[in-house]
Amino acid sequence: EIVRLARQHNVPLMSCSSLRYAAGLTEALEAAKEADGPIIGVDCFGPTPLEEVMPGLFTYGIHSVEMLYAAMGPGCVEVNTRSNADYDLAVGIWQDGRIGTVRGNRKGNYRFGATIHRENCIHYADVSAHPKPYYASLLERVMEMFQT
């Protein structure tokens, strides 16, 4: 209904996680991409607390999924998952054969990050350690969306 109303009234609409545009991730994705070659896989991680009404990937887990899609782009055709009391693991296979993973932690650290595998090197992004807040990067994109 929200999408229908937005279209009817020509209102811009945006929905995403703040982690999709987090500076720690976007900087790692841009780092030496020409010399390092294309992305051949990405492993993302973050917290996945179990909430009664929104378990696992439905709460904080979606942020790690957004980081994965920001890095890998669209085209995931298959997903396999494993879970236990302390962790979730989702493995996605893209149309071109690349593999991306999301590890959700309920035990241990509650940080967000990614390992970006490129053809010629690996970049690690400790997204939680970046000095620019996640929401600052998201709000920059929101402002751009309204202006354009």
Side-chain angles (χ1 to χ4, degrees):
E1 184 64 10
I2 291 171
V3 172
R4 185 189 69 74
L5 287 169
R7 284 184 183 141
Q8 178 183 336
H9 297 285
N10 198 29
V11 174
L13 186 64
M14 180 178 184
S15 176
C16 71
S17 158
S18 59
L19 275 287
R20 175 175 282 270
Y21 301 113
L25 177 65
T26 57
E27 288 173 8
L29 290 172
E30 289 298 317
K33 68 180 179 182
E34 296 298 322
D36 297 338
I39 292 173
I40 58 174
V42 178
D43 303 309
C44 297
F45 60 87
T48 53
L50 291 177
E51 301 290 337
E52 188 174 320
V53 295
M54 295 181 359
L57 295 177
F58 290 102
T59 53
Y60 282 94
I62 194 63
H63 297 301
S64 299
V65 172
E66 283 269 5
M67 290 191 306
L68 182 62
Y69 268 81
M72 296 281 283
C76 184
V77 295
E78 180 181 333
V79 177
N80 294 290
T81 63
R82 296 289 184 267
S83 294
N84 64 26
D86 297 326
Y87 310 101
D88 291 311
L89 178 65
V91 179
I93 300 176
W94 265 247
Q95 288 174 328
D96 59 8
R98 294 177 302 152
I99 295 176
T101 67
V102 170
R103 177 187 174 92
N105 297 317
R106 285 184 283 283
K107 183 177 183 180
N109 77 78
Y110 265 36
R111 300 177 71 80
F112 288 102
T115 302
I116 302 159
H117 304 273
R118 291 190 176 272
E119 201 168 72
N120 301 318
C121 75
I122 295 172
H123 290 277
Y124 174 70
D126 185 350
V127 177
S128 293
H130 198 280
K132 186 176 184 179
Y134 313 142
Y135 286 103
S137 296
L138 173 60
L139 290 175
E140 289 169 353
R141 297 296 181 112
V142 170
M143 290 186 309
E144 179 184 327
M145 187 242 352
F146 278 111
Q147 293 169 346
T148 60

